[in-house]
Structure formats: C-alpha cells, structure tokens
C-alpha cells in the first residue's frame, strides 16, 4: 500500500480565500470568540457561574460564601450558616463554578434520605446540573452527579460501588450526623478520596467540642492536631479565654458561617418564652414512683432506662405506659412486677395532663397556626386526640412519611388544620414559613435540635415574628435538661459563634 500526502486542501483553501468564506462568517467568529474568552478565565478570582444561573436569585452572602470557599479554602470547607440561609444554594453554586472551570465533573452528594429528592430537584431546576437520585440498581458509573442517602451509601454493596468511582467532589448535607470516628458513616466518608469536600451543617457542635474536631479532621487532617493534643489543649475544662479565641480562629480557616443579622436582610424577631408547669399531686405521685424504681429493681438501674421513663412521664402517660408494659413482657421478679403494675394502674387513672392543658392555652391565645414538637409517637397520637376533643384540628408528621405524604401533610397544615404535631424528624426538610408559633412540648438534650426545629419556620420568607414556647415541668428531669442546654449553648458560642435565641436568656 502506498500512502501519499493529499494536496487537495490547497485548492479548497485558495477557493475559500478568494471567495471570502464561509469560515469567516462574522457572527460565527464572534460566537467562537466569546466561547474561547469564557473558557480562558484569565484569573481565578470572582465567580463565573452566577451569570448562567437564570432560575435563581442569589443573595450577597451566598455569593460571598462560595467565593471564600473557592478562593481561600481550596474547596474544602464547612458551610455552617444558620438554618434557613441557603447552605444548599451555596454548595450548588460552588459545584457549578468548579464545573464551568472544568475542574469538577463527577460529584457524590450524601444526604438524609428525606432530603434526597429535594436536592435532585434543586440541582436540576436551579443550577442546570443533571443530578440523579441513587436507587437500588442505579449504575452510578454512568452518572456524573449522584445524590445518595447516607444510610444507603455506608452499606454493602453500595459502599463498594462508590469506592470504585473517582469523584472530584464530595458534598455531605446535615454533616453533624457523621458524629465521630466510631460511627459507620464517618469511617466511610473518611475513606473516600476527597479532592474537594463540602460539609453542610448549621450545627457543627451539637453536644461537645470534639464534634468540631472530627469534622475539621475530615477536611484537613492534623489542622487541629491529633485527638490527644486537641483534648489536652482545648478540653472545655481546661481551655482559657485565649485558648477559645485561638480555637475559633483555627476553625474559621475551614468554616463559613453566616448569621441572619449579618446578611443585610431584614429578619423578623424571635420571641422565646420558657414556661414552667406544675404537676398535679396525682401526676407528681406517679413521677416519684417511677423515680424510685431504680431502688426496687435492677432492671431499672440503667441510667438510660430511668432517664427515658422520666422523660416519657413528663410527656404523656401513654408514652410511659408503652415502655413499662414492654418491660413487664420481657419478664421480671414478682415483687418488681407488682410494683410496676401498681404504677401502671395509677398511671391510667390520671385524668389530667398538665402540659397538654398548657398547650391548649397557648393555642387559644395564639389563634393562629401552631407547630408542636414531641419526641414520642404515643404522645403525638394523644395530643391529636386531646386537641380534637377541644375542637382543634391537627395533622401528624413523622420521619416514616414518603416525600409525597410529607408534601400532602404540609398542604393540609397550610390550608386546613390549625396545628401540626411533629416528632423530631419534623426538624429536617420541611419548611413552614407560613407558621409563626412553635411549641417545644418535649425538650431534647441537644440545643441544636431546638435550633433546627425553630429553623423550620424562622427562615427566608418568614414575614411575622416567631413565637417559641419551651415547656418544662418544675422539679423534674426537664429542669435538669434546661440547665444542660444552657451549658451546651455556651460551648457552641465559644467555638462557633453566637447563636440566635432558642432559650430564655438568663440575666
């Protein structure tokens, strides 16, 4: 075979040159020039993405956060804005910017299962990023942007499939759920290769100072030293004012946190009220009997069991009854069983729930939409029945609802019912700016759960002052919870920054 260089191109070139085209169409040239100019991006300052995002109105603090992460933090950061300021928007903007620059193509986004579809919709509709929700048999190797439930991702065979991929960016929403190095999801995320990584959480410290250590260590191992040196230097019992300031400076090198008051947006106020409640003598008798169980039976010697029962008794007799009855079914000595059955008998004779009566009073005074947060499904069902007997319409919300049912419940609350009764899962993924009253019927141990609950209503789009009612029965475990919540808030503010009001401030 003989291969010869063709010379035909010369004739074609001369013909086009003499006839002025068609390659030099001025319109075509200009378009080509603009594309090349855009792709060149002469310097890595300023954002290119906003001018292409026609379906979203970006707020100044969101643009500034994205720019800070890209230009100063090398794409590894904790996005810790207060609830409702748009951390998802900031993450989408950062991702889009890196994609436009040709630096990021393949992205894995880990979220709570309830937020999976919400993320996919936001990325597709607002950022024009073709994200897909991972299902059981999704071939993730064929998709560039995958949104996956945390619980799914950490388990086989999904975990192994992810390890086979080469992702440019990892994004984790509600990153406080990673907790520490002992959890399965933390170990999984730690094992992922992370060229760029964003951790989204309004509450980087939930219970103790070591939670921020583990989050920062995912992004920049060694930035806060190893565990032993961190403990020795920054333990809450040892840290001086200078130490707290130094730790805050270190954390701020990898964390962006916007507060409502810093956004330039005019926000409505929070009106927080802690309401003490007095037990009836009959309720107090049952509470004291439950408290004495630890001296009667080794079955109740576990502090966790006792704390659970005391908290349930502060919630409803229904929640308490279910737990005690289950414990009887598991078996116990006759003397112990007799005492528990005596408690159950007194429990079921109670005709008044003092806390529920206070809820009714608040609802009547509000004369408006109200959301109630409880920690127990039994209490949730009881409250719905109790309100029904008083002529108040309500709808239930819990974490087992599908996305369509969640949307339906939200619509019922908006258009028909006066009260939404939610378990803890109602603190995530449902936005209720049309509601202005929040009753914390049961207090959590974690102050950040209170912030997440309140953030369902006190967020962008809220036009009224938000009224928050924290209920606590005097001389019970709830009084101890209030004191502990105050201590944990103090730790959070020393390391992360000021927190909007969630409890009544002490003078």
């Amino acid at each position: 075979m003989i291969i010869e260089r063709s010379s035909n191109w010369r004739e074609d070139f001369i013909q086009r040159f003499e006839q002025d085209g068609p390659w030099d169409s001025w319109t075509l040239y200009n378009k080509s020039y603009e594309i090349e100019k855009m792709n060149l991006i002469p310097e890595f300052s300023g954002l290119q993405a906003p001018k292409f995002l026609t379906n979203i109105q970006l707020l100044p603090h969101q643009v500034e956060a994205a720019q800070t992460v890209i230009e100063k933090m090398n794409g590894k950061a904790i996005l810790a804005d207060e609830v409702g300021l748009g951390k998802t928007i900031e993450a989408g903007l950062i991702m889009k910017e890196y994609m436009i620059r040709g630096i990021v193509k393949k992205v894995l986004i880990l979220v709570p299962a309830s937020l999976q579809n919400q993320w996919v919709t936001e990325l597709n509709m607002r950022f024009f990023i073709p994200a897909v929700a991972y299902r059981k048999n999704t071939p993730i190797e064929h998709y560039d942007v995958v949104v996956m439930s945390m619980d799914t991702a950490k388990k086989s065979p999904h975990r192994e499939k992810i390890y086979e991929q080469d992702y440019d960016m990892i994004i984790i929403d509600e990153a406080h759920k990673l907790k520490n190095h002992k959890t399965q999801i933390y170990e999984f995320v730690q094992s992922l290769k992370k060229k760029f990584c964003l951790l989204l959480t309004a509450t980087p410290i939930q219970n103790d100072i070591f939670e921020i250590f583990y989050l920062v260590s995912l992004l920049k191992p060694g930035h806060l030293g190893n565990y032993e040196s961190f403990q020795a230097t920054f333990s809450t019992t040892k840290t001086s004012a200078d130490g707290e300031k130094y730790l805050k400076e270190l954390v701020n090198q990898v964390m962006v946190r916007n507060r409502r008051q810093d956004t330039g947006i005019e926000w409505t106020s929070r009106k927080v009220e802690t309401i003490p409640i007095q037990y009836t003598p009959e309720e107090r008798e049952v509470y004291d009997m439950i408290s004495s169980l630890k001296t009667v039976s080794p079955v109740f010697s576990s502090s966790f069991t006792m704390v659970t029962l005391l908290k349930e008794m502060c919630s409803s007799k229904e929640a308490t009854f279910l737990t005690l009855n289950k414990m009887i079914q598991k078996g116990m000595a006759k003397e112990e069983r007799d005492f528990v059955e005596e408690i159950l008998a007194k429990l079921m004779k109670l005709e008044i729930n003092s806390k529920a009566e206070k809820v009714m009073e608040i609802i009547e005074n509000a004369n408006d939409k109200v959301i109630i947060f409880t920690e127990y499904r039994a209490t949730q069902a009881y409250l719905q029945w109790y309100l029904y007997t008083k002529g108040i319409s309500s709808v239930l919300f819990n974490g087992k609802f599908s996305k369509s049912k969640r949307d339906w419940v939200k619509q019922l609350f908006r258009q028909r019912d006066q009260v939404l009764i939610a378990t803890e899962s109602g603190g995530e993924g449902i936005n209720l700016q049309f509601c202005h009253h929040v009753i914390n019927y049961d207090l959590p141990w974690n102050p950040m759960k209170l912030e997440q609950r309140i953030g369902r209503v006190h967020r962008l789009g809220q036009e009224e002052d938000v009224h928050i009612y924290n209920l606590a029965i005097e001389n019970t475990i709830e009084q101890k919870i209030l004191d502990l919540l105050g201590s944990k808030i103090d730790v959070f503010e020393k390391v992360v920054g000021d927190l909007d009001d969630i409890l009544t401030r002490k003078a």
Side-chain angles (χ1 to χ4, degrees), residues 15 22 66 75 90 139 153 193 202 217 227 232-233 235 279 291 353 361 389 463 479 485 503:
Q15 182 180 357
E90 292 167 1
K193 296 187 291 289
S217 296
Y227 181 85
T233 308
S235 170
Y279 260 152
S291 185
N353 183 319
E361 182 184 320
T389 65
E463 297 177 353
Q479 200 65 53
L485 287 172
L503 294 177

Side-chain angles (χ1 to χ4, degrees), residues 189-202:
V189 171
Q190 192 174 37
S191 300
L192 293 172
K193 296 187 291 289
K194 296 176 284 293
K195 181 179 176 183
F196 300 110
C197 184
L198 301 177
L199 305 178
L200 281 60
T201 173

